[in-house]
């Protein structure tokens, strides 16, 4: 994958003058503008509002203070393709038999019977636009994402959430209902933040990790024998200079990642300022989320090839005019986003969602949506199940892990040896789900 950002953020913008009469009641007016922003690779555990020690997100922190924040939101997988499919369809790719293990197989596409949120919105006369920095195999526009978009724009240049063409599209459709998807890879590896963010948090590092773009591009161009982009080569060149057993390398790489997050937050602040200038911020529903997080040596892992919380906990923040800010501790997942959007539109899905609308949590009419959440890399690979109290992870090798989430959110102490009964109960629920998926 190319240089990415992740957070994934989602932003849903909805002109809602009169949409909410009170904290919990809606009028007949429907959202007229929806903007979905995905910031790739942004870990929910790296947010200051979730207790992270660095204040890298002042603009997002301000947004959170005006919003509903789901402190314990999870992806359905640990990669870009399944995470975004969950956002768009309300289904995990496991339920769609689109296993994450086949991520690079562009023939693995969304079944026609599963409708995307864009298809629903198009039937409601929304103008629709897809804006992303690139079209790699993860966000390939032949795999189902492209359905019902009027315009599909991909560019390799990361210039924030706004550029000339995007502003023109908003202006052109000023009087129409709009759905706009924006995606950024700026937080994704390789972690190379721009100046003045570079070396802000770890200026004294003297190791081999490259954190400056000009130096990395020189190395990449030296080894790239073609004129085409080679994401695998970039990843190889970057991580072969990282020693996972060297704590100094891990500290520095985490600092570089945080510097990228701070730069991304600056761009998000610019976008929010634009919305305010265009009188779209105060009367809009805005949702911010990500597809997955990132590991920096925790559980002896780098990047996002695991299902521990540093990888699968994602930001999920919703601002709705007329609804007071609050923090919700109940577990939710990315599959709950599409049902929530349809709920705001008073639309009924044409297929059964795996996810559930989060509006009852927001309204306070329920305390939780489900008893457990399940996250899968592949039905034949690593998989995990959460409850409020515990998390059970099953590896393809047969290795098992069990954590007490109330006491050990960072999953440092595997307690499975002394809690085999709890592990077996969770294993049974997980096995029943996998059996259903494989049918």
């Amino acid at each position: 994958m190319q240089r990415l950002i992740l957070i994934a953020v989602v932003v849903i913008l909805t002109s809602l003058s009169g949409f909410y009469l009170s904290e919990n009641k809606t009028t007949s007016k429907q959202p007229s503008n929806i903007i979905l922003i995905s910031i790739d690779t942004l870990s929910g555990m790296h947010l200051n509002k979730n207790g992270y020690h660095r204040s890298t997100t002042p603009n997002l922190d301000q947004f959170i203070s005006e919003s509903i924040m789901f402190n314990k939101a999870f992806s359905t997988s640990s990669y870009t393709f399944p995470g975004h499919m969950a956002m768009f369809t309300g289904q995990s790719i496991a339920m769609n038999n689109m296993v994450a293990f086949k991520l690079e197989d562009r023939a693995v596409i969304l079944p026609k019977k599963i409708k995307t949120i864009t298809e629903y919105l198009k039937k409601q006369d929304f103008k629709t636009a897809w804006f992303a920095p690139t079209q790699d195999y993860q966000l390939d526009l032949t795999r189902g994402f492209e359905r019902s978009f009027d315009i599909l724009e991909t560019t390799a240049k990361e210039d924030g959430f706004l550029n000339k063409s995007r502003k023109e599209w908003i202006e052109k459709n000023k009087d129409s209902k709009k759905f706009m998807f924006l995606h950024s890879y700026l937080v994704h590896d390789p972690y190379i933040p721009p100046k003045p963010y570079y070396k802000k948090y770890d200026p004294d590092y003297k190791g081999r990790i490259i954190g400056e773009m000009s130096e990395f591009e020189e190395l990449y161009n030296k080894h790239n024998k073609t004129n085409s982009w080679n994401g695998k080569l970039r990843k190889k060149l970057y991580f072969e200079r990282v020693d996972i057993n060297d704590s100094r390398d891990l500290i520095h790489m985490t600092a570089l990642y945080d510097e990228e997050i701070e730069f991304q937050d600056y761009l998000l602040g610019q976008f929010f300022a634009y919305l305010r200038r265009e009188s779209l911020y105060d009367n809009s529903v805005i949702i911010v989320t990500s597809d997955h997080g990132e590991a920096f040596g925790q559980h002896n892992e780098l990047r996002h090839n695991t299902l521990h919380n540093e990888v699968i906990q994602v930001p999920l923040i919703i601002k709705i005019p007329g609804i007071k800010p609050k923090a919700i501790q109940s577990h939710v997942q990315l599959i709950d986003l599409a049902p929530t959007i349809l709920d705001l539109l008073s639309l009924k899905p044409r297929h059964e969602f795996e996810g559930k609308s989060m509006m009852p949590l927001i309204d306070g009419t329920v305390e939780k949506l489900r008893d457990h959440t399940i996250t899968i890399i592949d039905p034949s690979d690593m998989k995990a199940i959460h409850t409020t109290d515990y998390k059970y992870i099953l590896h393809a090798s047969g290795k098992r892990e069990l954590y007490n989430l109330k006491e050990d959110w960072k999953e440092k102490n595997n307690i499975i040896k002394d809690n085999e009964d709890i592990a077996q109960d969770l294993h049974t629920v997980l096995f029943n789900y996998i059996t259903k998926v494989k049918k």
Side-chain angles (χ1 to χ4, degrees):
M1 233 197 302
Q2 301 180 6
R3 180 164 197 276
L4 318 168
I5 287 195
L6 291 187
I7 297 221
V9 188
V10 171
V11 174
I12 295 182
L13 239 144
T14 316
S15 289
L16 290 178
S17 177
F19 183 52
Y20 279 91
L21 283 174
S22 67
E23 248 184 86
N24 301 321
K25 297 180 181 179
T26 63
T27 74
S28 59
K29 286 192 176 183
Q30 299 300 315
S32 58
N33 294 296
I34 299 175
I35 301 176
L36 174 64
I37 299 182
S38 171
I39 301 177
D40 217 281
T41 320
L42 180 58
S43 173
M45 293 181 73
H46 277 251
L47 298 184
N48 186 247
K49 292 291 186 179
N50 264 343
Y52 192 61
H53 66 284
R54 286 179 177 142
S55 300
T56 58
T57 54
N59 292 295
L60 191 56
D61 289 349
Q62 177 59 40
F63 175 72
I64 290 170
S65 71
E66 305 166 6
S67 307
I68 299 133
M69 180 175 182
F70 293 88
N71 295 81
K72 296 176 181 176
F74 300 95
S75 183
T76 54
S77 187
S78 62
Y79 291 96
T80 298
F81 175 62
H84 284 86
M85 275 297 174
M87 294 179 204
F88 272 84
T89 68
Q91 302 274 75
S92 69
I93 60 169
M95 289 298 290
N96 291 329
N97 293 316
M98 301 170 62
V99 293
F101 198 69
K102 298 179 180 177
L103 281 175
E104 297 186 44
D105 183 357
R106 293 175 189 249
V108 178
I109 65 173
L110 182 69
K112 288 289 187 181
K113 66 179 181 179
I114 304 298
K115 302 302 179 185
T116 68
I117 192 65
T118 320
E119 292 177 277
Y120 285 104
L121 295 175
K122 191 62 182 172
K123 286 190 174 292
Q124 298 299 310
D125 298 320
F126 279 73
K127 301 294 183 181
T128 56
W130 169 287
F131 295 116
T134 186
Q135 182 186 172
D136 63 2
Y137 65 84
Q138 297 269 19
L139 293 178
D140 188 290
L141 295 177
T142 64
R143 304 184 75 174
F145 292 117
E146 75 284 356
R147 296 177 190 172
S148 293
F149 276 103
D150 298 324
I151 182 173
L152 299 166
E153 178 193 277
T154 60
T155 173
K157 183 180 179 182
E158 285 273 15
D159 47 11
F161 298 117
L162 290 170
N163 58 27
K164 182 180 179 182
S165 63
R166 296 172 188 183
K167 291 178 180 179
E168 288 176 349
W169 187 85
I170 293 173
E171 181 60 31
K172 177 183 177 181
N173 295 286
K174 185 175 182 179
D175 298 324
S176 301
K177 294 190 291 185
K178 296 177 288 296
F179 173 60
M180 191 174 180
F181 172 70
L182 300 168
H183 178 262
S184 172
Y185 272 143
L186 286 175
V187 177
H188 202 281
D189 67 74
Y191 319 111
I192 305 177
K195 296 178 180 179
Y197 302 94
Y198 176 49
K199 287 193 174 182
K200 176 177 179 178
Y201 293 119
D202 191 20
D204 300 324
Y205 175 76
K206 305 297 182 183
R208 297 179 66 243
I209 296 175
I210 295 175
E212 191 166 19
M213 181 59 74
S214 59
E215 184 181 355
F216 182 73
E217 290 299 333
E218 181 180 352
L219 178 67
Y220 171 70
N221 292 332
K222 178 181 177 181
H223 288 82
N224 187 18
K225 305 303 182 183
T226 70
N227 291 324
S228 60
W229 180 273
N230 190 332
K232 289 185 177 179
L233 175 61
R234 292 175 72 86
K235 201 179 310 296
K236 176 180 180 295
L237 293 174
Y238 189 86
F239 283 98
E240 69 182 10
R241 302 172 72 90
V242 177
D243 183 354
I244 194 171
N245 297 310
D246 185 341
S247 62
R248 194 64 187 85
D249 275 8
L250 299 178
I251 290 170
H252 185 64
M253 197 161 52
T254 304
L256 294 172
Y257 174 75
D258 287 341
E259 289 158 5
E260 286 190 325
I261 291 174
E262 187 164 350
F263 175 51
Q264 182 69 83
D265 180 77
Y266 164 75
L267 296 176
L268 187 63
Q270 286 192 321
F271 180 71
F272 287 160
Y274 170 80
L275 297 182
R276 291 186 178 96
R277 290 195 301 272
E278 298 299 315
S279 300
L280 290 171
Y281 185 85
D282 290 334
N283 63 351
S284 298
V285 171
I286 304 176
I287 303 174
V288 176
T289 191
S290 177
D291 55 346
H292 62 78
E294 200 81 322
F296 295 94
Q298 305 97 317
H299 305 97
N300 201 37
E301 291 284 349
L302 297 176
R303 303 185 66 248
H304 42 274
N305 303 309
T306 182
L307 296 179
H308 294 95
N309 285 346
E310 60 268 14
V311 169
I312 64 170
Q313 185 183 358
V314 295
L316 184 54
I317 306 137
I318 306 176
K319 183 177 89 66
I320 305 174
I323 301 294
K324 294 180 179 179
K326 64 191 296 189
I328 295 177
Q329 302 298 326
S330 299
H331 292 199
V332 296
Q333 288 190 285
L334 294 182
I335 53 174
D336 300 324
L337 181 56
T340 303
I341 295 171
L342 291 192
D343 199 357
L344 287 171
L345 291 165
S346 300
L347 295 176
K348 293 183 178 180
R350 285 171 285 167
H351 67 275
E352 184 178 353
F353 280 130
E354 184 181 359
K356 299 180 180 182
S357 172
M358 295 177 285
M359 289 309 299
L361 286 175
I362 295 172
D363 291 343
T365 55
V366 301
E367 293 185 356
K368 63 180 181 178
L369 294 184
R370 53 179 66 84
D371 293 327
H372 59 264
T373 60
I374 292 176
T375 306
I376 293 177
I377 290 182
D378 179 272
S380 301
D381 200 338
M382 189 185 298
K383 33 199 167 277
I385 179 171
H386 293 72
T387 67
T388 302
D389 297 330
Y390 296 98
K391 179 174 175 181
Y392 173 74
I393 301 175
L394 177 62
H395 296 249
S397 65
K399 176 185 175 181
R400 299 177 304 151
E401 301 173 55
L402 181 69
Y403 299 99
N404 184 329
L405 294 180
K406 286 192 171 181
E407 299 177 359
D408 182 24
W409 188 255
K410 293 184 178 181
E411 301 162 318
K412 293 182 177 182
N413 183 26
N414 184 0
I415 61 171
I416 196 163
K417 288 183 178 180
D418 298 324
N419 296 275
E420 191 62 49
D421 55 337
I422 297 172
Q424 188 57 50
D425 288 345
L426 294 175
H427 182 95
T428 299
V429 176
L430 185 59
F431 181 81
N432 289 340
Y433 177 84
I434 298 302
T435 302
K436 179 180 177 181
V437 166
K438 288 185 173 181
K439 284 183 178 179

